[in-house]
Every structure is written in structure tokens, then in C-alpha cells.
Amino acid sequence: MRDAEFLIEAMAGQLRDLLARRGISEPVLVGIHSGGVWIAERLHQRLEIHAPLGRLDISFYRDDFSRLGINPQVRPSELPCDIDGRHLVLVDDVLHTGRTVRAALNELFDYGRPASVLLAVLVDRSGRELPIEANVIGTRMKLSAGQHVQLTGPEPLQLTLQPAP
Amino acid sequence: MSTTHVQLDPQGRLLHFLTVEGLTRRHLTEILDTAESLHSVAERRVKKLPTLHGKTVVNLFFEASTRTRTTFELAAKRLSADVLNLNIATSSAVKGESLLDTLRNIEAMQCDMFVVRHVQSGAAEFIARHVKPHIAVLNAGDGRHAHPTQAMLDVFTIRRHKPDFPNLQVAIVGDILHSRVARSLIHALSILGTGAIRVIAPRTLLPAHVENLGVQVFHDLAYGLRDVDVVVMLRLQRERMESALLPSEQEFFQRYGLTGERLALARPDALVMHPGPINRGVEIDSRVADGPQSVILEQVTNGIAVRMAIMSITLGNHARPLEETA
């Protein structure tokens, strides 16, 4: 088990630098339920961002509906401001296959046409199945297909690594 | 096998939605929570989700109903399904043979879901028993038996305003006898643990042994409305007038019509509901129907999200393989 707070501290530093380099002063943070929202809330506070935080539940956009059906714990997505022409930072806990991010991008574009989208993740783990990369990374992990890394929270935020069975 | 068993898989998940009766609070809460997530889709620029992309939904209406069919159609389209509307003229009886033939023909068009409305009680269940296993069947109203999606949109509307069901008193007023809406709503409210369910109607418009459904019976509207949190008015079907069950529309309104004066006997924040279409001046006064306590049009809006939820849950459960049991 590993405390996630200091990784988020590192993410906040990277994100601050990246936004400054790109000249983005008013970004909109959007967390993906559940872990991504917990991290986005902390980044939102640390970077003192004015625009309200967005929350996405991508259950209705998943590509495995035909295998898994609908997640019974689905929550409403909320994007509390107009995202047209805005610079978005999409936040998730673990970037693995890339399918969640693809679903989240599809959902975002049903709300409007952002100027740009950056991706910030706590963990960038091996196993990508789509051409998707993160711009801000808390930590990188090289894991085998059977291994799982999971974020539990919201208090305290902890990373748990489950070894391959 | 009971209707409940036809609509559940061996693990108790919803495969069809035929009746509320026999379902658990977990089933209902899953539908309501999913509908809550779908509710805001209508406020987005793109009012559409990709969930049922590539699926085909057939509205199989043996009984005319513009409103219910329209909301099912819109629900399916907002989930990106293709929709086929079939209004099938029918004789009064379910003719097993011809209904099955109709079914086989539509099945041959490779559809994934049937939304069925029929004048005969049990028609949707009959179809669910005979369709191919990959097809989900939703009951959009069968005879006097059930109208479960209407009941779910009613409890969804109540929950958005007053979520504490154990502390609610709900009154259902009017033609309980002929109402599949009332029957399904009573079951849904009971399953959610509603504090008290009252039915208010003349004796001629109440089914025998209605008390067995766990409701309190009132024949006097003013008495029955006292301190209720929700008033559900039922549509008075005018054809009942001719069958001598009722005197005139005017007399019905005098005794059972919801007026502002009578509504004042309920709690000050009581919700006024009606499944529509309303008969102004027969069961409800226009000023009440259009007044600040009325959520009648909200019910219509909510009906889309609730039907989207039921469609995605049932088709999702068809897609999902059974979990291996140890």
C-alpha cells in the first residue's frame, strides 16, 4: 500500500509548469469517476483553479456494454460550465488500456468543442491497447497483464498493488 | 412460472420488464439511480448516448398510445438504437397463433428489444415467454394488469422531490378498478417502503379486496387527502360513463375532482401528479393541473430517462454472461 498524496503533489507541480508553458490561465479540470474525481478535487485545490470541477461517469460510453452491461453504480456526469473553446484537463487514477480515456473523450465532445484536452493520471501502467498517452504522470509502473493497481479513497487516498494470481 | 420469474435470470437480474410486482427494492433502486444519471443528458448539446448503438428496438403497439410510444421511441433514440414503430390493429382477444406469427416475422428482422402495449392482460409476458433468448421485452401497458414503466417514472418523480419514502403518505385518486397505472404504482410504492398508500375512489371504481394490496381505502376525497405528501390523480376514462359505473362527469368532478380547495387539505408542499392525458374539469381543475404544486409535465420528461434506464439495464443483462457460480 502506498500513500497517493505525495504523487498528487508531484502531479500538481508538473501540471502547473505545463499550463504555464502552454499559456493556459483558466483551465477546466474534469475528473473521471471515482478515482479521477478524488485526484481532480485535490489538484483543483492545490492549483487554485477558478472554474468549477467537472465529473464524468463514462458508463454509458464504454466499449464493453455487449459484454458487461451497465454498471449498477453509475452516477450522473456533471460539467458545470460551457466547455466550448476551453482548455480541459482530464484526470484519471490509472491509465491502463486507454479505453476509459477514449470513452471520456467521446463523452466530452457531446458537451461541446474544447480548445484542447490534456490528460493527467496518477499511475501510468503498462498495457496500452489504444494510442493514448498522458501529459502529466504521478508515477509509472511496469506491470504484467494479471497485476492490478487500484486507488482507494477518498480519505486517505491509497494505492494498492495486487499481484498476479 | 410466475411473471416475476419470467423477467429475471437465474441470478435475479432483470432480463425483461413486465411488472413491478415481485421485484426487490434493489431492482427498483438500480433503475432509479441509473435514470438519475441519464436525466441530465437532455440538457447537453448532444442529447444522445452511444450505449445501444447498433441495437434495434421495436415498438409493438397493439393498442394506440401516442404519448407512451413517443417517449419509448425518444428513449431508444437517445441511446442510439434504431427504432421501428409497428401499430398493429388487433381483435379483442390474444389469438395465440396469429400473435406468434407476428412475433416470428419481426424476430426474423433481427431485433433486440420489443416494447409491447396490448389491451389484453398478460400479453407482454406471453411474448417474453416466446421470444428468442437474446430479445428483451418491455411492458408498455397490458390490459388492466400493469404499466410498470409509468409506475417507475412516477416514483422517480416523487423521489426527486421527496426521497424519504418511509415518511411519505401518497394518495391515489379516481378509477382504481380499471387502472393498470394504479396497480403498478401501488406495488412500486410498497416495495420502496412508502409510509402510507391511500386509494380514494367510489366503491364502484375499486377492485374487490383492494385492501390486500396494503392500501388504506377512502371514499371521501376531503377526508382522504388530509396531510398527504403526494396526490396522484388518475385519468377517468370516459367510456366508463356509459357502463353505468358512474353518474355524470359533473357529478364525478363534484365528488372526486381535485380543486384548489381540496388540495389545501393536503400538506402545503404536496405534489400533484397525473399520468396524462388529463381531463380538465373531470378529475382535475385546470388551475391545479397548471398550478405550482403540479409536476405533471415533469413526469413526462422523467419518463424518457426512466425508460432509457430500463432499456440499458435489460439489454445490458442480456449481453452479460452469467457469472460462474462456485
Side-chain angles (χ1 to χ4, degrees), chain B residues 3-282:
Chain B
T3 309
T4 302
H5 286 102
V6 177
Q7 63 186 350
L8 300 178
D9 73 9
Q11 286 171 11
R13 299 179 307 195
L14 273 175
L15 291 177
H16 309 289
F17 194 57
L18 307 173
T19 177
V20 173
E21 199 177 348
L23 295 181
T24 63
R25 193 172 301 183
R26 189 178 56 80
H27 288 120
L28 268 52
T29 305
E30 183 184 342
I31 292 170
L32 297 175
D33 290 348
T34 306
E36 195 59 55
S37 298
L38 291 162
H39 191 262
S40 58
V41 171
E43 289 148 27
R44 307 187 327 187
R45 179 166 316 164
V46 179
K47 297 181 183 61
K48 218 171 170 73
L49 297 167
T51 317
L52 300 187
H53 180 65
K55 305 274 185 202
T56 305
V57 174
V58 182
N59 279 325
L60 210 50
F61 276 54
F62 296 88
E63 180 188 270
S65 160
T66 310
R67 179 180 318 224
T68 302
R69 188 190 45 71
T70 307
T71 53
F72 269 107
E73 181 175 350
L74 210 48
K77 286 180 169 170
R78 289 201 175 152
L79 289 167
S80 301
D82 294 311
V83 183
L84 188 63
N85 289 313
L86 293 177
N87 294 313
I88 300 163
T90 180
S91 58
S92 57
V94 176
K95 291 177 179 163
E97 212 47 51
S98 63
L99 182 58
L100 276 180
D101 274 343
T102 310
L103 214 59
R104 296 291 170 243
N105 270 281
I106 302 164
E107 268 181 355
M109 301 175 199
Q110 282 138 341
C111 303
D112 302 282
M113 172 173 277
F114 290 162
V115 177
V116 180
R117 169 170 288 209
H118 204 290
V119 284
Q120 288 288 310
S121 298
E125 181 187 342
F126 176 84
I127 289 175
R129 284 180 191 274
H130 290 91
V131 286
K132 291 191 173 144
H134 73 278
I135 295 176
V137 178
L138 306 189
N139 185 1
D142 62 328
R144 292 187 197 176
H145 172 242
H147 194 353
T149 61
Q150 176 72 42
M152 290 311 297
L153 79 87
D154 289 344
V155 292
F156 181 75
T157 306
I158 294 172
R159 193 177 82 154
R160 295 202 103 218
H161 291 272
K162 298 173 180 235
D164 187 16
F165 283 96
N167 283 314
L168 285 190
Q169 305 204 72
V170 179
I172 306 171
V173 186
D175 183 0
I176 313 283
L177 177 65
H178 300 96
S179 175
R180 53 196 176 201
V181 173
R183 199 177 298 269
S184 287
L185 180 57
I186 290 168
H187 287 300
L189 288 168
S190 312
I191 293 166
L192 292 169
T194 305
I197 307 165
R198 301 179 181 181
V199 294
I200 309 174
R203 281 169 218 283
T204 49
L205 293 182
L206 279 170
H209 314 299
V210 65
E211 306 82 6
N212 295 351
L213 293 171
V215 297
Q216 303 164 357
V217 179
F218 293 82
H219 301 297
D220 182 273
L221 182 59
Y223 193 56
L225 285 180
R226 209 151 286 166
D227 296 328
V228 298
D229 301 278
V230 179
V231 188
V232 180
M233 300 303 297
L234 298 173
R235 174 179 166 75
L236 190 74
Q237 295 176 356
R238 292 175 186 225
E239 55 269 27
R240 312 287 178 221
M241 299 295 172
E242 292 145 23
S243 60
L245 287 172
L246 277 177
S248 65
E249 289 184 356
Q250 290 81 357
E251 198 179 329
F252 184 84
F253 184 72
Q254 272 172 21
R255 290 194 56 200
Y256 292 99
L258 188 64
T259 60
E261 263 177 14
R262 283 167 172 162
L263 180 58
L265 297 167
R267 286 190 184 275
D269 64 344
L271 303 176
V272 174
M273 300 174 61
H274 192 298
I278 58 175
N279 291 315
R280 293 174 183 270
V282 179

Side-chain angles (χ1 to χ4, degrees), chain A residues 57 59-62 65-72 74-77 82 84 106-107 109-113, chain B residues 30 33-34 36-38 40 44-46 48-52 55 79 311-313 315-317 319-321:
Chain A
D57 187 313
S59 297
F60 296 106
Y61 284 80
R62 296 181 65 95
F65 174 78
S66 331
R67 288 194 298 126
L68 298 174
I70 285 293
N71 169 15
V74 60
R75 275 140 309 185
S77 290
D82 188 354
D84 266 354
N106 282 7
E107 178 160 9
F109 280 77
D110 283 346
Y111 282 87
R113 184 180 184 277
Chain B
E30 183 184 342
D33 290 348
T34 306
E36 195 59 55
S37 298
L38 291 162
S40 58
R44 307 187 327 187
R45 179 166 316 164
V46 179
K48 218 171 170 73
L49 297 167
T51 317
L52 300 187
K55 305 274 185 202
L79 289 167
M311 286 176 165
S312 50
I313 289 170
L315 271 180
N317 288 340
R320 188 158 40 166

